[in-house]
């Protein structure tokens, strides 16, 4: 079968590899139909993802049809449409024991730490497979994972009806956070430097947009919140500076959500956190979000089709990567079809 392999930084190829075979009773073999290219795939490609080892079959946003099942599999059957949660955890460490398996001490992500889903077939454990109950569009099955990130942020920040939220960054993850927050009845402001992305955020339901290349975000936040500051700030720009800004823009008793994986420090004074009694929250991957995201896709409260800006057959991975890197104004999620 064919798979997309990053051989070493800046070298990606379609390779022929052995089709995986069921070996454990709880194995599920998936025929992949679609995958979303993520910023972290680009990071493995260009060598900036510190977690990656090479060579690697990439892809952690993928879905398809169940092709074959092990003898003990009971939650899915052959022919089911499914999405795969790429988070693999041990079930025994402290984090797992208190129900936070998404930050397991020996966490592995399919497509990052081990070979991923950008291949014609992939074998995964039953517990990572989540089924659709309708004939949902095949090319969108791979987009459950990015929406699970948006849902996790909303869960971690306990975003609810009436909340006011600033999302810094209108990239794919910012957009999934926006869609989930709007589906919960929050009022959402989105900031970015790319005006085309802000126009898209408005179309997806943002209540206000701020082009930080021409506007003062602090003023706009104060207007939006009657001078209070922002109750919830989510930093998806993930720069040392934007983390500092998030702290400054948050209201007293506000929540600040951080999702970046960069190690460069920010300059933040203790007093800024104490005086406002801020809650600073990390959000990583997802915890039990797949079922809810799938239900929301099926009932139409979340819209993966609005996230998709281009589709490429998987053989054209090089063109797809080039497109994604060269055109942030045009592309949100580039979907590969298999
Ligand atoms: Zn991703
Ligand atoms: Zn664990």
């Amino acid at each position: 079968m064919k798979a997309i392999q990053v051989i070493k930084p800046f070298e990606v190829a379609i390779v022929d590899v052995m089709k995986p075979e069921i070996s454990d009773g709880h194995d599920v073999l998936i025929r992949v139909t679609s995958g979303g290219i993520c910023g972290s795939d680009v990071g493995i490609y260009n060598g900036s993802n510190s977690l990656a080892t090479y060579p690697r079959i990439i892809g952690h946003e993928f879905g398809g049809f169940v092709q074959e099942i092990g003898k003990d599999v009971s939650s899915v059957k052959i022919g089911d449409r499914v999405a795969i949660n790429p988070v693999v955890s041990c079930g025994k460490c402290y984090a797992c024991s208190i129900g936070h398996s998404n930050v397991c001490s020996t966490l592995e992500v399919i497509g990052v730490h081990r070979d991923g889903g950008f291949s014609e077939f992939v074998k995964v454990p039953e517990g990572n497979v989540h089924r659709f109950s309708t004939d949902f569009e095949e090319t969108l099955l791979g987009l459950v994972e990015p929406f699970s990130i948006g849902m996790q942020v909303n869960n971690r920040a306990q975003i609810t009806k009436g909340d006011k939220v600033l999302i810094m960054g209108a990239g794919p993850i910012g957009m999934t956070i926006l869609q989930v927050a709007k589906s919960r009845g929050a009022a959402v402001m989105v900031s970015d430097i790319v005006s085309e992305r802000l126009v898209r955020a408005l179309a997806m339901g943002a209540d206000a947009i701020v082009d930080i290349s021409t506007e003062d975000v602090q003023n706009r936040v104060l207007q939006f919140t009657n001078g209070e500051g922002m109750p919830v700030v989510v930093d998806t720009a993930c720069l040392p500076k934007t983390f500092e800004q998030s702290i400054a823009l948050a209201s007293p008793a506000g929540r600040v959500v951080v999702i970046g994986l960069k190690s460069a420090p920010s300059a933040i004074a203790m007093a800024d956190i104490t005086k406002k009694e801020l809650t600073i929250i990390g959000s990583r991957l997802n915890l039990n979000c797949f079922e809810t995201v799938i239900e929301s896709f099926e009932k139409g409260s979340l819209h993966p089709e609005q996230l998709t800006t281009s589709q490429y057959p998987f053989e054209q991975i090089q063109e797809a990567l080039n497109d994604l890197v060269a055109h942030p104004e045009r592309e949100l999620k580039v979907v590969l079809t298999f």
Side-chain angles (χ1 to χ4, degrees):
M1 66 162 192
K2 300 212 178 326
I4 296 173
Q5 193 177 59
V6 177
I7 295 154
K8 56 179 204 259
F10 296 105
E11 197 179 326
V12 67
I14 305 297
V15 292
D16 255 309
V17 292
M18 289 276 285
K19 182 177 164 187
E21 282 176 8
I22 301 279
S23 52
D24 181 274
H26 287 284
D27 282 344
V28 179
L29 186 70
I30 312 291
R31 176 170 68 79
V32 177
T33 59
S34 70
I37 303 181
C38 179
S40 63
D41 296 316
V42 177
I44 297 172
Y45 170 67
N46 67 22
S48 66
N49 186 326
S50 59
L51 303 173
T53 53
Y54 302 89
R56 175 67 61 232
I57 294 173
I58 53 172
H60 59 272
E61 303 176 2
F62 63 103
F65 289 92
V66 173
Q67 175 84 8
E68 222 181 300
I69 54 176
K71 64 176 171 37
D72 303 318
V73 170
S74 59
S75 59
V76 291
K77 57 183 191 313
I78 292 170
D80 278 350
R81 280 168 207 245
V82 293
I84 314 306
N85 183 359
V87 180
V88 181
S89 48
C90 78
K92 299 187 198 91
C93 70
Y94 169 70
C96 284
S97 74
I98 63 159
H100 290 262
S101 53
N102 57 318
V103 287
C104 172
S105 63
T106 53
L107 177 81
E108 288 198 344
V109 179
I110 298 172
V112 181
H113 307 90
R114 54 167 87 178
D115 278 342
F118 289 173
S119 58
E120 292 177 295
F121 296 91
V122 61
K123 182 177 75 173
V124 289
E126 178 182 13
N128 291 68
V129 183
H130 298 273
R131 64 183 293 274
F132 286 74
S133 50
T134 61
D135 289 348
F136 202 74
E137 169 57 41
E138 290 180 28
T139 57
L140 298 173
L141 301 179
L143 299 191
V144 177
E145 199 278 341
F147 276 86
S148 76
I149 306 286
M151 185 156 292
Q152 178 74 5
V153 165
N154 275 263
N155 289 350
R156 292 283 293 155
Q158 300 181 316
I159 291 172
T160 180
K161 191 172 169 61
D163 260 328
K164 286 185 175 165
V165 181
L166 170 66
I167 300 170
M168 300 169 83
I173 292 304
M175 297 301 203
T176 66
I177 298 166
L178 164 65
Q179 283 199 24
V180 177
K182 286 310 299 175
S183 75
R184 293 181 177 196
V188 184
M189 172 180 259
V190 179
S191 66
D192 205 293
I193 45 171
V194 181
S195 58
E196 291 88 343
R197 287 191 160 185
L198 290 168
V199 171
R200 278 217 174 88
L202 265 188
M204 274 188 225
D207 299 274
I209 53 172
V210 185
D211 184 338
I212 56 170
S213 62
T214 57
E215 292 180 275
D216 182 83
V217 66
Q218 177 107 38
N219 279 341
R220 292 291 312 280
V221 164
L222 292 173
Q223 278 167 18
F224 191 70
T225 59
N226 304 319
E228 299 238 42
M230 198 58 88
V232 182
V233 182
V234 185
D235 175 16
T236 78
C238 307
L239 301 168
K241 188 104 209 129
T242 53
F243 184 26
E244 293 162 15
Q245 278 173 343
S246 309
I247 301 290
L249 294 170
S251 70
R255 294 100 85 191
V256 173
V257 186
V258 182
I259 62 166
L261 283 167
K262 295 197 179 73
S263 49
S266 302
I268 292 168
M270 288 173 248
D272 295 337
I273 299 170
T274 311
K275 280 199 249 167
K276 295 199 272 191
E277 204 175 53
L278 295 181
T279 303
I280 299 174
I281 309 160
S283 184
R284 188 168 188 200
L285 298 163
N286 85 94
L287 180 65
N288 305 328
C289 294
F290 264 61
E291 311 268 304
T292 325
V293 170
I294 289 173
E295 275 168 31
S296 306
F297 280 11
E298 292 185 319
K299 71 172 195 240
S301 58
L302 294 176
H303 301 279
E305 71 285 358
Q306 293 181 353
L307 201 68
T308 308
T309 45
S310 291
Q311 260 186 44
Y312 286 87
F314 77 95
E315 293 90 341
Q316 292 177 21
I317 177 68
Q318 185 72 64
E319 290 85 342
L321 284 167
N322 294 347
D323 182 18
L324 194 55
V325 172
H327 296 288
E329 80 294 351
R330 193 173 73 205
E331 299 299 350
L332 279 174
K333 188 56 74 182
V334 174
V335 166
L336 298 171
T337 54
F338 291 79

